[in-house]
């Protein structure tokens, strides 16, 4: 069950990366802060792949691998755009809850595109954990308007599609163990995303491009953490269905709620407590069924 450990490591590293990126948004804007995880993550991915090449043969990606990687890279960028639109139009709680619908759409897309088995036990666990996130978010849904809800669901679906693209790229590589295939896919994906973001900033947003250069120290830390987190996400995708990985990652929600209660003395309502219990039960059910 290596994928479980990989997923938990990825979720923890992603939390630290988000913290590093959060301050950059105020200083260099949304586009600049978003591009940091890609542009400054590439050197670390290439360095790791180069070191791995000393001990393992690097699998040669073909057209199929590049197509899957491009799908994942493009979907992830588009999902980020929809996520930002949702956060501008709704509260953070509603936006977060909508993003976390990803495992449901991911399971359905995976069953259709990659022919991954979707039995009643797996689907039930995924739905239970996702519904728990909606309750645990504490969002006031009576204030939600239609357009941000749709963009939020679209963001979750696109994040799910990106995970399918990454898993498809990993599985399409002709040979190699799960670590070297994950590293190879990571380097390809970050390369594609960096090229796209740099081209966009060079043409449409020069201040953001100057900003990430000026804030290179913080950007480098965020890029390193982003590449580290992505590597372990990809290791998880190499070993099991992407829906399993993203559902297990929901365990970070109750952990964050517990942390906020202990550290920041924030109260947790009954609905949120019920949501946390649903997440824990859903994740446990998923692990039993996997």
């Amino acid at each position: 069950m290596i994928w479980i450990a990989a997923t938990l490591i990825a979720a923890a590293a992603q939390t630290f990366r988000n913290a590093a990126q959060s301050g950059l948004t105020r200083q260099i804007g949304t586009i600049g802060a978003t591009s940091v995880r890609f542009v400054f993550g590439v050197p670390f991915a290439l360095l790791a792949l180069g070191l791995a090449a000393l001990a393992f043969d690097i699998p040669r990606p073909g057209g199929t691998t590049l197509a899957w990687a491009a799908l994942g890279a493009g979907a992830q960028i588009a999902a980020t755009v929809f996520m930002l639109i949702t956060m501008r139009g709704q509260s953070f709680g509603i936006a977060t809850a909508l993003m976390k619908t990803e495992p449901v759409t991911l399971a359905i897309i995976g069953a259709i595109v990659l022919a991954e088995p979707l039995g009643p036990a797996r689907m039930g666990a995924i739905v239970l954990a996702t519904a728990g996130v909606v309750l645990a978010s504490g969002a006031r849904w009576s204030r939600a308007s239609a357009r941000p809800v749709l963009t939020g669901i679209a963001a979750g679906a696109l994040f799910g599609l990106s995970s399918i693209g990454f898993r498809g790229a990993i599985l399409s590589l002709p040979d190699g163990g799960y670590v070297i295939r994950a590293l190879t896919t990571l380097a390809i994906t970050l390369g594609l995303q960096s090229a796209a973001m740099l081209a966009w900033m060079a043409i449409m947003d020069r201040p953001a491009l100057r900003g990430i250069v000026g804030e290179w120290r913080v950007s480098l830390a965020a890029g390193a953490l982003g590449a580290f987190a992505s590597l372990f996400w990809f290791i998880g995708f190499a070993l099991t269905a992407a829906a399993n990985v993203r559902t297990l990652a929901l365990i970070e929600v109750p952990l964050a709620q517990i942390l906020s209660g202990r550290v920041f003395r924030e109260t947790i309502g009954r609905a949120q407590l019920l949501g946390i219990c649903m997440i824990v039960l859903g994740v446990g059910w998923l692990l039993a069924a996997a």
Side-chain angles (χ1 to χ4, degrees):
M1 305 296 278
I2 298 174
W3 71 272
I4 296 175
T7 300
L8 295 177
I9 292 171
Q14 182 169 283
T15 301
F16 287 110
R17 186 209 67 200
N18 291 341
Q21 276 186 288
S22 62
L24 288 173
T25 304
R26 294 187 295 270
Q27 298 169 6
I28 61 178
T30 301
I31 296 298
T34 300
S35 68
V36 160
R37 61 180 293 192
F38 308 129
V39 175
F40 286 87
V42 168
F44 294 100
L46 293 177
L47 176 62
L49 185 62
L51 292 174
L54 299 176
F56 305 98
D57 292 330
I58 304 297
R60 294 184 179 181
T64 302
T65 301
L66 295 177
W68 278 116
L71 172 64
Q76 190 174 56
I77 292 175
T80 303
V81 172
F82 276 103
M83 177 185 71
L84 296 173
I85 293 173
T86 305
M87 287 184 171
R88 284 203 301 265
Q90 288 295 335
S91 69
F92 181 77
I94 292 175
T96 301
L98 291 169
M99 300 305 114
K100 296 300 184 179
T101 59
E102 173 195 352
V104 176
T105 55
L106 179 52
I108 296 171
I109 295 171
I112 296 172
V113 177
L114 296 178
E116 293 177 339
L118 184 59
R122 278 189 66 231
M123 196 63 202
I126 291 168
V127 170
L128 178 62
T130 304
V133 171
V134 174
L135 283 177
S137 68
R140 297 183 179 179
W141 293 95
S142 60
R143 299 181 180 180
S145 55
R147 184 178 177 183
V149 168
L150 291 175
T151 57
I153 293 173
L158 285 167
F159 276 125
L161 185 61
S162 71
S163 297
I164 291 294
F166 300 147
R167 176 162 164 79
I170 293 169
L171 295 179
S172 68
L173 288 171
D175 49 31
Y178 62 88
V179 174
I180 196 66
R181 286 189 289 134
L183 267 173
T184 302
T185 305
L186 176 63
I188 294 170
T189 301
L190 286 179
L192 292 172
Q193 291 172 320
S194 297
M197 296 301 295
L198 286 172
W200 175 267
M201 288 188 292
I203 298 171
M204 304 297 294
D205 197 349
R206 293 286 182 86
L209 186 58
R210 291 192 293 269
I212 65 173
V213 174
E215 298 291 336
W216 66 270
R217 290 181 178 85
V218 179
S219 299
L220 202 62
L225 287 169
F228 183 79
S230 294
L231 173 59
F232 281 91
W233 287 130
F234 282 25
I235 288 175
F237 294 155
L239 294 171
T240 188
N244 292 347
V245 175
R246 300 305 293 171
T247 303
L248 176 59
L250 295 179
I251 200 67
E252 69 181 280
V253 176
L255 293 178
Q257 292 282 7
I258 294 171
L259 181 65
S260 66
R262 290 290 183 88
V263 177
F264 301 107
R265 304 301 179 184
E266 297 177 354
T267 59
I268 300 177
R270 291 182 179 179
Q272 291 173 292
L273 185 60
L274 176 60
I276 290 172
C277 293
M278 290 169 65
I279 295 170
V280 173
L281 288 174
V283 169
W285 187 5
L286 175 73
L287 296 179

